[in-house]
Amino acid sequence: MDTLTGEIVTIIYFNEINSYTIARMLTDEEEITIVGYLPFVNAGDNLTVSGQYVVHKEYGRQFKVETFKKNIPETPDALERYLANGNIKWVGPKTAEKIIQKFGEETVYILEKEPEKLATIKGITEEKAIEISESFIENKELWKIVSFLEKIGISASYAKKVYELYGTNAIEEIEKDPYRLIDVVRGINFKTIDEAALRLGVNIDDEQRIIYGIKYALLLATYNGHTCVIKENLTDFVSTLLQISESTIKEFLNQMKVRGLIVIEERDEEEWVYLAEYYEAEKFIAGKLILLDNVKNRKRIDNIETKLERIEKINRIELSDKQREAIYAVNENNVCVITGGPGTGKTTIIKNIIDLYKNEGKKVVLCAPTGRAAKRMTETTGEDAKTLHRLLQISKIDDAKYINEGIDIQPIDADVIIVDETSMIDLALMKYLLMGIYEGTKLVLSGDVDQLPSVGPGSILKDIIASNRMNVVVLDKIFRQAAKSRIILNAHRVNSGEHFVEEEDEDLNKDFFFVQETSEERILNFVLSLYKDGLKQFDNYEDFNSVQIITPSKKGDVGTRELNKKIQELINPKDIKKEEKSIGAFTFREGDSVMQIKNNYDIAWEQNGEISSGIFNGEMGTITKISNISESVEVDYDGKIVTYAFSELDQIEHSYAITVHKSQGSEFDVVILPVVRSAPMLLTRNLLYTAITRAKKLLIVVGNKDIIKFMINNTDSKVRNTGLKYKLEVI
């Protein structure tokens, strides 16, 4: 590796989550861009970095940092710049200048050994002098943590999390138990920690090593949607991971069970192992659902048949027998599930339930797991719908490794709670929802069980339905109007394992087109041409409000990353009249379509004079203003104006093209769906089905027919190891 020493001139980009940094460094020979994980690095810092020169296809020659260390600035000028960078408490440029003028080359000694002398400078009290010294020393400790982690082979990207958890005692704590790092960062590689621990002298049969090896394996399963693992499979995996005998693993499993760290559940003639809190969450959900359903039905409406007929006349609709069955089921049961595919009448049922109970003076609350799903619920019902996070007033749960037992839930004041897109709700969110529901409240769970499952662990809707313990109404009839839609017809065909309808039929709407293409280059060019030339070749659908590209993958020439760049160049190119801000390989420009990609509960927004907070994963908006003076970007989310600092731009990404997973809970007038060869785990039936059902008025699928057939036949991804169904059955 090459080594450079120099001063950081400016920070171009810094990711608050993992400390990935792009910066300009001034060495004795040149000024060069450096990239890498550089926590606690600021403009003015002097670094020694090791790595290699690389050539970025857009930004040219750069230095990719593998390891680094901070150096105490050696000259008074360099030390002044370091002190002035805002990283030391109470010290800005003017105070830094005063300190250097007073103490010169003795500054570091004064800061560390005789801080009381700082109080001889006007404006610095004795109390401030001590705090300045403590802040300076604390920063040195951070450097030591970074250096220590790198020496044991752990990326500096974890240093910030480590320091936040353990403070200045981090090195001592890690040396005592390196496996604690598994509790610090989601997805950290166990083998990296294990190798570091063994180098630090941990024995291969150390108790903590084995316990954390088991915990890691169970956590790994939750990242793939499972809540539990078959004991034999777990034993085999951990034995290979740790290179110790299966009998030793089984012995420790018993110890962990006794200590309450895990739970082993016997069902289906197998032993299933859980991390304790995942088992308890499933147990709580099952118990609360049964409790809610079994209490007295206090919200039941008498003479509902007559009252429903009156609503039908007022609304000039005629409900089907199945729709009436669903509404009566809600009336007769405290917990009810309504499930079905597109065009089967779920929205009409929900609207009539709202009318019925509101006419009785009952309070009906509508909610959904995501912002876009809640917005769509509002649009289709005409009633206000909230995200579950906002309704329950829960925040900052997304980065938690385990289900937070101590989280505060705002109880829901409602007679009837209707939850849409329930298939998107994971184990943790379902637990929080049920924690907020009073006994006697009616709960209606609506959703399509055949869509993509939740991102987090669990299979909530599917397990509730399969248990046969709750009243479930399955809507399996496509209504006459919906049956004319090729979109809806093909969605149901795909869900049944059949290919698209290809023959012409005058009775069917021309709202679905399949374009056969095998070349990725031609698929890409076709998608771009739709943006360039409009949709005239498809019966002039160009007047629709929302045209959205949805694709299975982020990667590749037809993945979201490349598509977003190409489309930006096509419809929002560089313009001297438009401000822009480059972040790494991406450029944000005024007029760009963007999406929030993580929940931010604290960020402020303003709408029509109202000021509130919270923008959530999946919300889409448009960049209206970029200021390089205030270093900020303004985004309009359907009237909610949010201002991001440049340092916060890792929270958004371009959204001309989005993944199918990101599209869940949303609908768009026009959807363009390119399908190319990708990882089998992304080419599944439920992913294709979910993508198709995002389109309201026009769907254009372009791709290889053989890959489409593969997706339709690939149903493996639906299987998740969970125990909620069993718990509901046996309670």
Side-chain angles (χ1 to χ4, degrees):
M1 291 192 294
D2 294 306
T3 299
L4 302 177
T5 296
E7 185 176 322
I8 299 299
V9 177
T10 183
I11 303 292
I12 299 171
Y13 170 71
F14 178 74
N15 186 313
E16 290 284 349
I17 298 174
N18 61 13
S19 301
Y20 183 80
T21 305
I22 303 171
R24 294 289 288 175
M25 172 186 266
L26 180 64
T27 70
D28 290 339
E29 289 79 27
E30 63 178 334
E31 184 175 313
I32 188 169
T33 298
I34 65 171
V35 297
Y37 297 102
L38 305 172
F40 318 117
V41 168
N42 298 279
D45 286 350
N46 188 282
L47 305 183
T48 296
V49 297
S50 297
Q52 57 185 339
Y53 291 97
V54 296
V55 178
H56 192 280
K57 64 180 180 180
E58 290 188 38
Y59 299 103
R61 184 168 173 266
Q62 299 177 338
F63 190 84
K64 185 178 180 181
V65 178
E66 299 294 335
T67 64
F68 81 99
K69 69 174 183 176
K70 280 192 180 184
N71 306 312
I72 292 290
E74 295 180 355
T75 66
D77 286 346
L79 184 56
E80 181 180 334
R81 287 193 295 274
Y82 169 72
L83 293 176
N85 67 19
N87 212 35
I88 306 300
K89 189 174 182 181
W90 302 119
V91 179
K94 290 184 179 179
T95 303
E97 182 182 1
K98 291 178 183 178
I99 292 172
I100 296 300
Q101 286 178 351
K102 179 78 172 179
F103 300 109
E105 294 182 356
E106 293 185 346
T107 297
V108 173
Y109 177 82
I110 296 296
L111 287 167
E112 292 183 342
K113 304 297 183 183
E114 298 181 8
E116 63 277 2
K117 289 185 177 180
L118 293 171
T120 61
I121 297 174
K122 186 177 180 180
I124 300 179
T125 64
E126 289 186 6
E127 183 179 351
K128 280 187 178 180
I130 298 301
E131 290 183 1
I132 290 170
S133 173
E134 289 174 347
S135 181
F136 181 81
I137 293 169
E138 182 180 274
N139 272 270
K140 287 190 68 176
E141 290 297 321
L142 294 179
W143 309 344
K144 291 178 183 177
I145 293 170
V146 172
S147 178
F148 170 76
L149 289 174
E150 290 193 328
K151 283 179 182 177
I152 62 175
I154 296 173
S155 169
S157 63
Y158 299 121
K160 189 173 183 179
K161 286 276 189 181
V162 171
Y163 179 76
E164 287 172 354
L165 190 63
Y166 298 119
T168 55
N169 294 324
I171 294 175
E172 180 183 347
E173 293 295 323
I174 294 168
E175 284 182 326
K176 285 194 295 187
D177 184 5
Y179 297 102
R180 291 182 182 182
L181 290 170
I182 289 171
D183 291 327
V184 178
V185 181
R186 174 187 167 93
I188 193 169
N189 191 318
F190 178 85
K191 288 186 177 180
T192 301
I193 297 174
D194 193 39
E195 289 170 1
L198 294 172
R199 285 197 300 271
L200 288 170
V202 172
N203 293 325
I204 195 169
D205 58 354
D206 182 87
E207 177 180 321
Q208 286 295 86
R209 179 175 187 261
I210 298 172
I211 288 174
Y212 271 102
I214 293 169
K215 283 181 67 176
Y216 171 77
L218 291 170
L219 277 173
L220 206 57
T222 68
Y223 300 158
N224 292 315
H226 309 296
T227 61
C228 53
V229 180
I230 292 175
K231 184 179 178 180
E232 291 302 318
N233 293 344
L234 176 67
T235 302
D236 180 63
F237 177 86
V238 177
S239 176
T240 302
L241 179 72
L242 301 181
Q243 292 296 296
I244 58 177
S245 69
E246 291 189 9
S247 60
T248 302
I249 302 297
K250 290 178 180 177
E251 179 184 331
F252 272 87
L253 284 172
N254 290 332
Q255 288 184 26
M256 291 174 73
K257 179 181 176 182
V258 171
R259 291 166 59 180
L261 299 175
I262 64 170
V263 175
I264 301 176
E265 181 178 72
E266 294 186 15
R267 56 181 162 87
D268 303 329
E269 299 182 355
E270 295 278 3
E271 290 183 297
W272 295 84
V273 185
Y274 291 79
L275 285 168
E277 60 184 311
Y278 287 88
Y279 174 86
E280 293 299 331
E282 280 191 351
K283 184 179 177 182
F284 173 83
I285 291 168
K288 186 65 179 282
L289 283 171
I290 297 293
L291 176 63
L292 289 174
D293 199 41
N294 286 345
V295 298
K296 185 177 180 180
N297 189 353
R298 299 187 183 93
K299 314 300 181 185
R300 185 181 182 279
I301 297 174
D302 294 327
N303 198 21
I304 188 173
E305 293 87 352
T306 301
K307 293 174 180 177
L308 186 57
E309 286 176 7
R310 190 178 304 133
I311 289 173
E312 287 183 83
K313 287 180 181 178
I314 293 171
N315 294 333
R316 295 181 180 179
I317 61 168
E318 184 176 345
L319 297 171
S320 70
D321 291 341
K322 201 71 174 180
Q323 287 176 315
R324 286 194 184 88
E325 178 191 333
I327 295 168
Y328 295 159
V330 170
N331 192 47
E332 296 299 326
N333 298 275
N334 288 328
V335 179
C336 186
V337 176
I338 301 171
T339 184
T344 56
K346 293 193 298 294
T347 300
T348 301
I349 292 169
I350 290 172
K351 289 166 74 173
N352 278 271
I353 292 170
I354 294 168
D355 288 344
L356 270 171
Y357 285 92
K358 285 182 71 174
N359 288 347
E360 295 291 308
K362 305 298 184 185
K363 183 176 181 181
V364 181
V365 168
L366 309 183
C367 55
T370 67
R372 288 195 67 83
K375 179 187 174 186
R376 186 159 66 101
M377 201 178 187
T378 297
E379 292 170 346
T380 56
T381 65
E383 301 286 335
D384 182 48
K386 291 184 171 67
T387 64
L388 288 170
H389 294 80
R390 187 173 294 284
L391 180 65
L392 298 167
Q393 296 185 23
I394 53 177
S395 62
K396 300 180 181 178
I397 64 171
D398 303 280
D399 294 330
K401 183 178 294 296
Y402 306 111
I403 299 170
N404 188 345
E405 294 291 341
I407 195 164
D408 292 324
I409 299 294
Q410 176 65 40
I412 305 169
D413 177 20
D415 296 298
V416 182
I417 300 170
I418 304 176
V419 187
D420 201 14
E421 297 287 357
T422 309
S423 63
M424 298 176 67
I425 298 178
D426 64 12
L427 186 74
L429 194 52
M430 190 65 182
K431 177 186 174 184
Y432 302 144
L433 169 62
L434 292 174
M435 286 170 64
I437 299 178
Y438 291 114
E439 293 177 28
T441 301
K442 282 187 177 291
L443 175 63
V444 181
L445 302 173
S446 173
D448 186 346
V449 74
D450 294 312
Q451 289 190 24
L452 286 170
S454 59
V455 175
S459 186
I460 301 299
L461 182 61
K462 187 176 180 181
D463 283 357
I464 292 173
I465 293 171
S467 72
N468 293 318
R469 283 300 298 271
M470 301 292 112
N471 192 280
V472 177
V473 179
V474 179
L475 306 173
D476 50 11
K477 178 185 176 183
I478 306 175
F479 278 81
R480 186 179 304 166
Q481 188 67 27
K484 293 182 179 181
S485 167
R486 283 176 174 266
I487 295 173
I488 291 175
L489 183 60
N490 283 322
H492 285 275
R493 286 179 65 87
V494 165
N495 200 35
S496 300
E498 301 174 80
H499 200 271
F500 306 145
V501 171
E502 296 186 47
E503 65 273 8
E504 290 297 324
D505 189 333
E506 291 299 323
D507 292 331
L508 296 178
N509 299 335
K510 292 182 178 180
D511 59 1
F512 181 104
F513 296 89
F514 173 59
V515 180
Q516 164 70 8
E517 257 318 339
T518 56
S519 162
E520 287 196 18
E521 182 180 356
R522 286 198 292 270
I523 292 171
L524 174 62
N525 290 335
F526 178 82
V527 171
L528 295 177
S529 73
L530 292 179
Y531 268 84
K532 183 179 180 181
D533 302 325
L535 300 165
K536 293 180 180 179
Q537 58 182 303
F538 300 103
D539 286 356
N540 201 21
Y541 283 96
E542 60 194 356
D543 295 329
F544 285 138
N545 294 322
S546 55
V547 178
Q548 183 63 55
I549 296 175
I550 298 176
T551 180
S553 177
K554 291 182 178 180
K555 300 178 181 178
D557 291 339
V558 196
T560 57
R561 290 170 183 164
E562 289 303 316
L563 275 170
N564 277 315
K565 286 184 184 179
K566 298 286 187 185
I567 294 167
Q568 183 194 43
E569 292 170 7
L570 197 66
I571 69 170
N572 193 29
K574 190 175 184 67
D575 187 331
I576 59 171
K577 296 179 181 179
K578 293 183 176 182
E579 294 290 340
E580 59 182 48
K581 173 61 180 174
S582 294
I583 301 293
F586 302 97
T587 298
F588 291 110
R589 188 171 294 129
E590 290 174 346
D592 275 343
S593 295
V594 293
M595 172 185 279
Q596 177 81 12
I597 58 172
K598 69 175 186 176
N599 289 334
N600 186 330
Y601 306 89
D602 301 321
I603 196 166
W605 54 260
E606 182 176 353
Q607 184 176 32
N608 299 326
E610 176 193 356
I611 297 176
S612 189
S613 63
I615 296 293
F616 301 101
N617 189 355
E619 293 196 53
M620 298 170 72
T622 303
I623 294 177
T624 54
K625 183 180 179 181
I626 296 177
S627 172
N628 286 291
I629 297 174
S630 62
E631 297 189 339
S632 64
V633 173
E634 188 178 275
V635 179
D636 182 344
Y637 292 100
D638 294 320
K640 293 187 295 188
I641 308 302
V642 177
T643 301
Y644 297 87
F646 282 173
S647 62
E648 298 174 314
L649 292 182
D650 58 303
Q651 297 181 35
I652 62 174
E653 64 184 21
H654 291 101
S655 61
Y656 300 110
I658 62 176
T659 62
V660 179
H661 284 85
K662 287 292 185 185
S663 75
Q664 261 190 291
S666 304
E667 277 189 339
F668 308 94
D669 282 355
V670 180
V671 169
I672 302 168
L673 174 62
V675 179
V676 299
R677 194 171 304 281
S678 186
M681 63 183 291
L682 293 175
L683 300 178
T684 62
R685 179 188 295 178
N686 59 357
L687 186 137
L688 179 60
Y689 173 72
T690 301
I692 292 172
T693 56
R694 300 309 92 202
K696 287 196 291 186
K697 299 179 180 178
L698 174 64
L699 173 64
I700 304 166
V701 182
V702 53
N704 188 328
K705 184 181 291 186
D706 291 336
I707 296 176
I708 298 289
K709 287 181 178 178
F710 176 84
M711 295 181 77
I712 292 171
N713 293 326
N714 183 12
T715 60
D716 292 342
S717 65
K718 288 190 176 182
V719 179
R720 286 188 170 189
N721 294 329
T722 62
L724 178 59
K725 170 181 175 289
Y726 170 78
K727 292 177 181 62
L728 283 166
E729 290 171 338
V730 299
I731 288 179

